[in-house]
DNA sequence: TAAAACTATATAGTCACTATAAGGTCAATA
DNA sequence: TATTGACCTTATAGTGACTATATAGTTTTA
Protein backbone atom coordinates (compact mmCIF):
# COMPACT_ATOMS: atom_id res chain seq x y z
CA UNK A 1 0.00 0.00 0.00
CA UNK A 2 1.08 3.61 -0.47
CA UNK A 3 1.57 6.21 2.21
CA UNK A 4 -1.92 7.69 1.93
CA UNK A 5 -3.64 4.39 2.58
CA UNK A 6 -1.34 3.64 5.51
CA UNK A 7 -2.10 7.06 6.92
CA UNK A 8 -5.86 6.55 6.61
CA UNK A 9 -5.79 3.03 8.04
CA UNK A 10 -3.95 4.10 11.18
CA UNK A 11 -5.36 7.60 11.44
CA UNK A 12 -2.29 9.78 11.13
CA UNK A 13 -1.07 12.33 8.61
CA UNK A 14 1.29 11.28 5.83
CA UNK A 15 3.76 13.86 7.08
CA UNK A 16 3.80 12.17 10.45
CA UNK A 17 4.70 8.86 8.82
CA UNK A 18 7.64 10.41 6.98
CA UNK A 19 8.62 12.12 10.22
CA UNK A 20 8.66 8.80 12.09
CA UNK A 21 10.78 7.32 9.32
CA UNK A 22 13.29 10.14 9.61
CA UNK A 23 13.37 9.68 13.40
CA UNK A 24 14.09 5.98 13.02
CA UNK A 25 10.78 4.78 14.51
CA UNK A 26 9.47 3.32 11.25
CA UNK A 27 11.82 1.30 9.00
CA UNK A 28 12.27 2.81 5.51
CA UNK A 29 9.94 0.93 3.18
CA UNK A 30 10.72 -0.22 -0.35
CA UNK A 31 10.11 2.24 -3.15
CA UNK A 32 8.31 1.93 -6.47
CA UNK A 33 10.15 2.93 -9.63
CA UNK A 34 8.65 6.40 -9.32
CA UNK A 35 9.98 6.80 -5.79
CA UNK A 36 6.67 6.22 -3.98
CA UNK A 37 6.95 4.37 -0.66
CA UNK A 38 5.29 0.93 -0.52
CA UNK A 39 4.20 -0.37 2.86
CA UNK A 40 3.30 -3.84 4.12
CA UNK A 41 1.02 -5.11 6.86
CA UNK A 42 4.02 -5.12 9.21
CA UNK A 43 4.32 -1.38 8.77
CA UNK A 44 0.67 -0.98 9.70
CA UNK A 45 1.27 -2.87 12.93
CA UNK A 46 4.45 -0.98 13.67
CA UNK A 47 2.77 2.38 13.13
CA UNK A 48 -0.28 1.37 15.18
CA UNK A 49 2.09 0.37 18.00
CA UNK A 50 3.66 3.81 17.90
CA UNK A 51 0.27 5.51 18.00
CA UNK A 52 -0.90 3.40 20.94
CA UNK A 53 2.25 4.40 22.80
CA UNK A 54 1.69 8.07 21.91
CA UNK A 55 -1.88 7.91 23.23
CA UNK A 56 -0.28 6.89 26.53
CA UNK A 57 1.99 9.92 26.10
CA UNK A 58 5.18 7.92 25.90
CA UNK A 59 7.88 10.00 24.27
CA UNK A 60 9.38 9.03 20.93
CA UNK A 61 12.58 8.17 22.81
CA UNK A 62 10.67 5.80 25.09
CA UNK A 63 8.96 4.21 22.11
CA UNK A 64 12.36 3.72 20.53
CA UNK A 65 13.45 2.05 23.75
CA UNK A 66 10.45 -0.30 23.65
CA UNK A 67 11.28 -1.18 20.07
CA UNK A 68 14.81 -2.11 21.09
CA UNK A 69 13.41 -4.38 23.79
CA UNK A 70 11.24 -6.10 21.18
CA UNK A 71 14.45 -7.08 19.41
CA UNK A 72 15.73 -8.93 22.50
CA UNK A 73 12.78 -11.20 23.37
CA UNK A 74 14.59 -13.46 25.85
CA UNK A 75 15.72 -10.80 28.27
CA UNK A 76 13.74 -10.06 31.41
CA UNK A 77 10.97 -7.50 30.97
CA UNK A 78 11.64 -5.55 34.15
CA UNK A 79 12.89 -2.50 32.25
CA UNK A 80 9.62 -2.31 30.32
CA UNK A 81 7.56 -2.43 33.46
CA UNK A 82 9.80 0.17 35.06
CA UNK A 83 9.34 2.42 32.06
CA UNK A 84 5.59 2.17 32.58
CA UNK A 85 5.91 2.78 36.32
CA UNK A 86 7.86 5.94 35.57
CA UNK A 87 5.20 7.09 33.16
CA UNK A 88 2.46 6.43 35.73
CA UNK A 89 4.40 8.41 38.35
CA UNK A 90 4.89 11.20 35.87
CA UNK A 91 1.20 11.37 35.03
CA UNK A 92 0.24 11.27 38.70
CA UNK A 93 2.54 14.14 39.53
CA UNK A 94 1.13 16.12 36.62
CA UNK A 95 -2.37 15.53 37.99
CA UNK A 96 -1.32 16.68 41.45
CA UNK A 97 0.31 19.80 40.06
CA UNK A 98 -2.75 20.64 38.00
CA UNK A 99 -5.05 20.18 40.98
CA UNK A 100 -2.99 22.69 42.93
CA UNK A 101 -3.12 25.00 39.96
CA UNK A 102 -6.89 24.61 39.68
CA UNK A 103 -7.32 25.58 43.33
CA UNK A 104 -5.20 28.70 42.86
CA UNK A 105 -7.14 29.71 39.78
CA UNK A 106 -10.54 29.10 41.35
CA UNK A 107 -9.57 31.06 44.43
CA UNK A 108 -8.28 33.92 42.32
CA UNK A 109 -11.44 33.88 40.22
CA UNK A 110 -13.58 34.03 43.37
CA UNK A 111 -12.03 37.38 44.22
CA UNK A 112 -13.97 39.15 41.48
CA UNK A 113 -17.41 39.38 39.98
CA UNK A 114 -18.22 40.54 36.48
CA UNK A 115 -19.45 44.02 37.30
CA UNK A 116 -16.29 45.89 38.14
CA UNK A 117 -13.97 48.20 36.34
CA UNK A 118 -10.57 46.84 35.42
CA UNK A 119 -8.90 49.05 38.01
CA UNK A 120 -10.95 47.28 40.69
CA UNK A 121 -10.76 43.77 39.23
CA UNK A 122 -9.99 41.30 41.97
CA UNK A 123 -8.29 38.94 39.55
CA UNK A 124 -5.85 41.54 38.28
CA UNK A 125 -5.27 42.69 41.83
CA UNK A 126 -4.44 39.16 42.91
CA UNK A 127 -2.00 38.79 40.05
CA UNK A 128 -0.36 42.12 40.78
CA UNK A 129 0.15 41.59 44.48
CA UNK A 130 2.84 39.39 45.89
CA UNK A 131 0.30 37.34 47.83
CA UNK A 132 0.81 34.47 45.42
CA UNK A 133 3.87 32.23 45.31
CA UNK B 1 19.77 47.70 38.78
CA UNK B 2 21.34 45.53 36.08
CA UNK B 3 19.86 42.45 34.50
CA UNK B 4 21.55 40.00 36.82
CA UNK B 5 20.12 41.59 39.92
CA UNK B 6 16.65 41.75 38.38
CA UNK B 7 16.95 38.09 37.48
CA UNK B 8 17.97 37.11 41.00
CA UNK B 9 15.31 39.23 42.65
CA UNK B 10 12.49 37.66 40.66
CA UNK B 11 13.99 34.23 40.24
CA UNK B 12 14.37 33.93 36.47
CA UNK B 13 17.30 33.59 34.11
CA UNK B 14 18.74 36.69 32.47
CA UNK B 15 18.04 35.10 29.10
CA UNK B 16 14.39 34.84 29.98
CA UNK B 17 14.31 38.58 30.74
CA UNK B 18 15.80 39.43 27.34
CA UNK B 19 13.37 36.99 25.79
CA UNK B 20 10.38 38.72 27.41
CA UNK B 21 11.71 42.05 26.15
CA UNK B 22 11.96 40.72 22.59
CA UNK B 23 8.42 39.35 22.90
CA UNK B 24 7.09 42.71 24.02
CA UNK B 25 6.13 41.63 27.55
CA UNK B 26 8.74 43.75 29.28
CA UNK B 27 9.34 47.33 28.12
CA UNK B 28 12.90 47.95 26.86
CA UNK B 29 14.81 49.57 29.72
CA UNK B 30 17.28 52.43 29.47
CA UNK B 31 20.86 51.55 28.73
CA UNK B 32 24.14 52.62 30.32
CA UNK B 33 26.86 54.06 28.12
CA UNK B 34 28.30 50.56 27.77
CA UNK B 35 24.99 49.17 26.55
CA UNK B 36 24.01 47.44 29.81
CA UNK B 37 20.30 47.43 30.57
CA UNK B 38 19.24 49.39 33.65
CA UNK B 39 16.02 48.39 35.38
CA UNK B 40 13.78 50.15 37.86
CA UNK B 41 11.43 48.94 40.55
CA UNK B 42 8.61 49.07 38.03
CA UNK B 43 10.39 46.47 35.97
CA UNK B 44 10.64 44.23 39.01
CA UNK B 45 6.89 44.45 39.49
CA UNK B 46 6.18 43.92 35.83
CA UNK B 47 8.40 40.86 35.67
CA UNK B 48 6.95 39.45 38.89
CA UNK B 49 3.48 39.89 37.39
CA UNK B 50 4.53 37.87 34.37
CA UNK B 51 5.97 35.11 36.52
CA UNK B 52 2.83 34.91 38.66
CA UNK B 53 0.79 34.54 35.49
CA UNK B 54 3.17 31.87 34.19
CA UNK B 55 2.85 29.93 37.44
CA UNK B 56 -0.88 29.82 36.64
CA UNK B 57 0.15 28.59 33.19
CA UNK B 58 -1.28 31.54 31.34
CA UNK B 59 0.32 31.80 27.91
CA UNK B 60 2.49 34.74 26.97
CA UNK B 61 -0.31 35.85 24.63
CA UNK B 62 -2.79 35.83 27.51
CA UNK B 63 -0.36 37.76 29.68
CA UNK B 64 -0.02 40.28 26.89
CA UNK B 65 -3.80 40.55 26.84
CA UNK B 66 -3.90 41.19 30.59
CA UNK B 67 -1.27 43.90 30.17
CA UNK B 68 -3.42 45.59 27.56
CA UNK B 69 -6.36 45.54 29.97
CA UNK B 70 -4.20 47.22 32.59
CA UNK B 71 -3.84 50.12 30.20
CA UNK B 72 -7.61 50.66 30.07
CA UNK B 73 -8.56 50.82 33.76
CA UNK B 74 -12.07 52.18 33.33
CA UNK B 75 -13.44 49.42 31.13
CA UNK B 76 -15.44 46.55 32.62
CA UNK B 77 -13.35 43.62 33.81
CA UNK B 78 -15.55 40.88 32.39
CA UNK B 79 -12.96 39.88 29.78
CA UNK B 80 -10.36 39.30 32.48
CA UNK B 81 -12.66 37.09 34.47
CA UNK B 82 -13.59 35.21 31.30
CA UNK B 83 -9.94 34.66 30.53
CA UNK B 84 -9.57 33.08 33.95
CA UNK B 85 -12.70 30.99 33.51
CA UNK B 86 -11.27 29.65 30.27
CA UNK B 87 -8.01 28.81 31.96
CA UNK B 88 -9.86 26.99 34.75
CA UNK B 89 -11.85 24.99 32.19
CA UNK B 90 -8.66 24.19 30.35
CA UNK B 91 -6.93 22.95 33.47
CA UNK B 92 -9.96 20.90 34.48
CA UNK B 93 -10.11 19.19 31.12
CA UNK B 94 -6.40 18.46 31.32
CA UNK B 95 -6.95 16.84 34.71
CA UNK B 96 -9.79 14.72 33.34
CA UNK B 97 -7.69 13.61 30.38
CA UNK B 98 -4.77 12.71 32.59
CA UNK B 99 -7.00 10.72 34.93
CA UNK B 100 -8.21 8.64 31.99
CA UNK B 101 -4.62 8.20 30.91
CA UNK B 102 -3.58 7.13 34.39
CA UNK B 103 -6.26 4.44 34.44
CA UNK B 104 -5.13 3.08 31.09
CA UNK B 105 -1.52 3.01 32.22
CA UNK B 106 -2.29 1.35 35.55
CA UNK B 107 -4.45 -1.26 33.87
CA UNK B 108 -1.74 -1.99 31.32
CA UNK B 109 0.88 -2.21 34.06
CA UNK B 110 -1.28 -4.67 35.98
CA UNK B 111 -1.04 -7.10 33.07
CA UNK B 112 2.56 -7.93 33.87
CA UNK B 113 4.84 -8.77 36.76
CA UNK B 114 8.60 -8.32 36.80
CA UNK B 115 9.61 -11.94 36.30
CA UNK B 116 8.87 -12.54 32.65
CA UNK B 117 10.80 -12.57 29.45
CA UNK B 118 10.19 -9.70 27.07
CA UNK B 119 8.40 -12.00 24.62
CA UNK B 120 5.85 -12.72 27.36
CA UNK B 121 5.64 -9.20 28.79
CA UNK B 122 2.02 -8.28 29.36
CA UNK B 123 2.75 -4.60 28.89
CA UNK B 124 4.32 -5.04 25.48
CA UNK B 125 1.53 -7.42 24.55
CA UNK B 126 -1.08 -4.85 25.51
CA UNK B 127 0.68 -2.21 23.43
CA UNK B 128 1.00 -4.53 20.44
CA UNK B 129 -2.60 -5.67 20.38
CA UNK B 130 -5.44 -3.56 19.12
CA UNK B 131 -7.32 -3.91 22.40
CA UNK B 132 -6.50 -0.30 23.21
CA UNK B 133 -8.09 2.71 21.57
C1' DT C 1 47.74 42.57 35.73
C1' DA C 2 45.11 38.78 35.30
C1' DA C 3 41.30 36.17 36.35
C1' DA C 4 36.51 35.93 37.45
C1' DA C 5 32.08 37.53 36.93
C1' DC C 6 29.13 40.06 34.40
C1' DT C 7 27.08 41.98 30.16
C1' DA C 8 25.95 42.11 24.98
C1' DT C 9 24.19 39.94 20.44
C1' DA C 10 23.15 36.20 17.41
C1' DT C 11 21.97 31.65 16.48
C1' DA C 12 20.43 26.94 17.23
C1' DG C 13 18.20 23.36 19.97
C1' DT C 14 14.17 21.33 22.64
C1' DC C 15 9.47 18.23 21.48
C1' DA C 16 6.29 16.14 18.29
C1' DC C 17 4.55 17.42 15.04
C1' DT C 18 2.25 20.85 11.38
C1' DA C 19 2.42 23.97 7.52
C1' DT C 20 4.18 25.69 3.29
C1' DA C 21 6.64 25.67 -1.09
C1' DA C 22 7.77 23.73 -5.31
C1' DG C 23 7.64 20.16 -7.95
C1' DG C 24 6.96 14.99 -10.06
C1' DT C 25 3.38 11.04 -11.19
C1' DC C 26 -0.84 8.98 -12.54
C1' DA C 27 -5.77 8.09 -13.83
C1' DA C 28 -9.84 9.98 -15.52
C1' DT C 29 -12.21 13.40 -18.04
C1' DA C 30 -13.39 17.34 -21.79
C1' DT D 1 -4.74 15.52 -26.44
C1' DA D 2 -4.79 18.56 -22.92
C1' DT D 3 -5.86 19.27 -18.45
C1' DT D 4 -7.75 18.61 -14.11
C1' DG D 5 -7.39 16.50 -9.70
C1' DA D 6 -5.60 13.41 -6.42
C1' DC D 7 -1.71 11.60 -5.08
C1' DC D 8 3.34 11.44 -4.24
C1' DT D 9 8.30 13.57 -3.51
C1' DT D 10 11.86 16.61 -0.87
C1' DA D 11 13.18 20.64 1.67
C1' DT D 12 12.40 24.19 4.84
C1' DA D 13 10.17 26.86 8.45
C1' DG D 14 6.91 27.45 12.26
C1' DT D 15 4.76 26.19 16.91
C1' DG D 16 5.65 27.73 22.64
C1' DA D 17 8.45 29.15 26.09
C1' DC D 18 12.25 28.96 26.92
C1' DT D 19 17.42 27.01 27.15
C1' DA D 20 22.02 26.41 25.39
C1' DT D 21 25.97 27.76 22.83
C1' DA D 22 29.29 30.83 20.58
C1' DT D 23 31.65 34.98 20.50
C1' DA D 24 32.89 39.16 22.24
C1' DG D 25 33.07 43.38 25.21
C1' DT D 26 33.06 45.31 30.30
C1' DT D 27 33.52 45.51 35.16
C1' DT D 28 35.03 43.85 39.53
C1' DT D 29 38.05 41.32 42.40
C1' DA D 30 42.46 39.16 43.84
ZN1 LIG E 1 12.06 -17.10 25.49
ZN1 LIG F 1 -12.59 41.20 37.52
ZN1 LIG G 1 -12.56 54.11 37.25
ZN1 LIG H 1 6.51 -7.09 31.57
Amino acid sequence: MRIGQLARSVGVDTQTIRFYEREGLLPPPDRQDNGYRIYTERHVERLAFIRRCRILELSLAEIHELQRYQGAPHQPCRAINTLLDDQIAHVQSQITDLQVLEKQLVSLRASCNDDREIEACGVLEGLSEGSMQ
Side-chain angles (χ1 to χ4, degrees), chain A:
Chain A
M1 77 186 66
R2 297 191 312 203
I3 198 168
Q5 198 187 330
L6 175 60
R8 274 188 301 279
S9 77
V10 178
V12 302
D13 195 280
T14 56
Q15 305 242 65
T16 303
I17 294 172
R18 294 191 196 99
F19 169 72
Y20 286 159
E21 182 182 330
R22 274 201 307 283
E23 297 292 305
L25 286 162
L26 263 185
D30 288 341
R31 301 285 185 127
Q32 284 176 344
D33 290 347
N34 56 17
Y36 289 13
R37 290 170 176 81
I38 318 171
Y39 293 98
T40 67
E41 202 53 43
R42 299 170 68 96
H43 286 97
V44 178
E45 284 159 29
R46 187 94 175 241
L47 181 56
F49 177 85
I50 296 171
R51 293 313 296 184
R52 273 179 233 119
C53 291
R54 288 294 302 133
I55 287 169
L56 298 178
E57 296 200 2
L58 298 178
S59 70
L60 298 192
E62 287 167 329
I63 296 170
H64 212 95
E65 200 179 331
L66 287 176
Q67 290 180 341
R68 281 198 306 278
Y69 293 142
Q70 286 177 318
H74 296 298
Q75 292 197 303
C77 77
R78 194 176 333 243
I80 294 173
N81 301 336
T82 299
L83 190 154
L84 221 71
D85 286 336
D86 289 352
Q87 183 69 357
I88 290 169
H90 183 230
V91 168
Q92 284 169 344
S93 106
Q94 267 187 280
I95 291 173
T96 303
D97 290 351
L98 284 171
Q99 282 168 340
V100 169
L101 181 55
E102 186 196 359
K103 263 190 196 155
Q104 290 181 305
L105 285 165
V106 166
S107 138
L108 184 61
R109 178 62 180 89
S111 69
C112 194
N113 56 49
D114 285 350
D115 299 318
R116 303 192 190 169
E117 280 187 342
I118 281 174
E119 67 183 345
C121 174
V123 168
L124 215 48
E125 203 176 315
L127 286 167
S128 299
E129 280 166 11
S131 57
M132 222 182 73
Q133 254 292 27

